[in-house]
Amino acid sequence: MTIVRTETIQLGCEPDILTLTLLEISDGSLILQLEQPDDGAPMDLDGLFFNLVDDTTVEDLGIYPLVNDEPITGFETEADSVDTLANGAQVPGGFDAGIQFGTAPDSTSGMVNSAWMTLWSDAGPIGIDDIDLDSFSAVVDSDDGESGRVLTTSDGDGSGDGEEHEDDGTMSFLVEGDVNVQVTLTELENGDIQVDLDVQGEHDADGTGQIGDLRGFFFDLADDSLLSGISVSGVDVTGSDFESDGVSDLGHGANMNGYGTFDGGVSLGTAGIGHDDLQSTSFVISHADAALTLDDFAEQDFGLRLTSVGDPDGVREDSLKLLGMSPETGEDCGCDSDQPVDYVDLIAGLTEEDDDAETLAMVDAEEEPDDFLMLA
């Protein structure tokens, strides 16, 4: 058996960083290695949650070491339903799988600094592409019932609490409402600004449980004299308008009527979700003569129009108009990849909030595979 592919993911924010390495093995299994730097304050690993790309196969997953072979003390698989450890620590959202760590059976107690485990599937080979890499969430230091944290995937050094300013010329902020949307502005080498919009879904840390179809993006500029040379381009762009404090309606439902006026607006996609249903999109704002920078968009008002709003698997008949403001350039905004966990009271392994919710401690051990790859 040989390693055919590897992928490394960072969880958390400096100085509390975990490194998760995935190793795809030629026999169809997948090894996960969870480690922390030697130079940081030691963290106690209590749990790791993740999703599969195809959750219909989640019940076929197996794990080695077996449950209650240290440090694995719990393993649960159920699509969109796993979120709680034996000590009551609960992560936001429902995951397809959860692994619990500890030094005592069916418990998170005891110090676990690092862990490795092998996953396999009775449904066939499992590889890196079968895992939703952005979904990984690790619970640490949760045994005291109040100080637990959940570390999630992050980019670069993990700086930014929903609002980020990175050395590569990127500004990211969250526009919040019944549906949350992450807005990212990036300075390109040719003087353009790339805009990325991402609706936060049910498995995202900032998800609300509802989604919507992106239909309009509205913004102000710090210097409205730039408006005469502004243009926008992108696959999903269906229209645009630029006028100092004069844009609110782009037609066909892409409007911010009643929520103020803006310097610019970009219509996205088509009305309804029959032809498209934009949960994320990217486009470029350009200027004919000037190089645009993040300073042109800093501390400005932004608006987002979403239609077909509702539960992902339900009726989506609502609509939203969201308002937000971009942060100041250079602002230190913290980190959204390191958040406190919630706690629920447990009675005989069940939560008071949901009598059907099983904790990871209740999962029976699986039979180990005939062969597995040991790493030194």
Side-chain angles (χ1 to χ4, degrees), residues 11 52 74 82 99 108 117 137 140 154 158 225 229 239 260 263 313 318 326 329:
L11 304 178
L52 297 184
V82 184
I99 305 168
T108 58
M117 60 233 76
S137 296
V140 299
S154 59
S225 69
D263 294 338
D313 299 322
D318 295 331
S326 58
T329 53

Side-chain angles (χ1 to χ4, degrees), residues 31-207:
I31 291 177
L32 308 182
Q33 291 181 309
L34 192 58
E35 302 173 299
Q36 51 189 303
D38 294 333
D39 56 356
M43 293 178 285
D44 175 25
L45 306 180
D46 294 321
L48 181 67
F49 297 83
F50 62 92
N51 292 318
L52 297 184
V53 173
D54 178 8
D55 61 16
T56 62
T57 63
V58 68
E59 300 292 345
D60 296 307
L61 281 182
I63 193 169
Y64 186 88
L66 304 181
V67 173
N68 290 329
D69 282 351
E70 193 175 323
I72 308 299
T73 61
F75 179 55
E76 174 131 13
T77 58
E78 184 176 355
D80 301 328
S81 300
V82 184
D83 63 3
T84 306
L85 298 175
N87 62 6
Q90 187 176 61
V91 294
F95 291 82
D96 296 338
I99 305 168
Q100 180 172 278
F101 308 117
T103 59
D106 302 327
S107 170
T108 58
S109 63
M111 187 71 178
V112 176
N113 290 302
S114 62
W116 73 267
M117 60 233 76
T118 300
L119 299 176
W120 74 92
S121 175
D122 290 334
I126 182 170
I128 291 173
D129 290 337
D130 296 311
I131 308 293
D132 179 358
L133 300 183
D134 292 330
S135 69
F136 280 106
S137 296
V139 176
V140 299
D141 298 332
S142 65
D143 283 329
D144 65 357
E146 60 182 26
S147 303
R149 291 172 292 144
V150 55
L151 309 184
T152 57
T153 56
S154 59
D155 297 321
D157 63 3
S159 62
D161 184 9
E163 300 176 355
E164 303 177 15
H165 302 280
E166 301 181 6
D167 293 338
D168 61 354
T170 297
M171 172 193 296
S172 185
F173 56 97
L174 192 68
V175 179
E176 298 182 87
D178 290 344
V179 176
N180 291 339
V181 180
Q182 192 77 25
V183 179
T184 303
L185 308 179
T186 304
E187 293 179 354
L188 303 181
E189 292 183 359
N190 63 355
D192 294 345
I193 296 290
Q194 178 174 309
V195 180
D196 294 290
L197 306 178
D198 186 17
V199 173
Q200 300 297 284
E202 59 184 331
H203 297 309
D204 293 311
D206 292 315

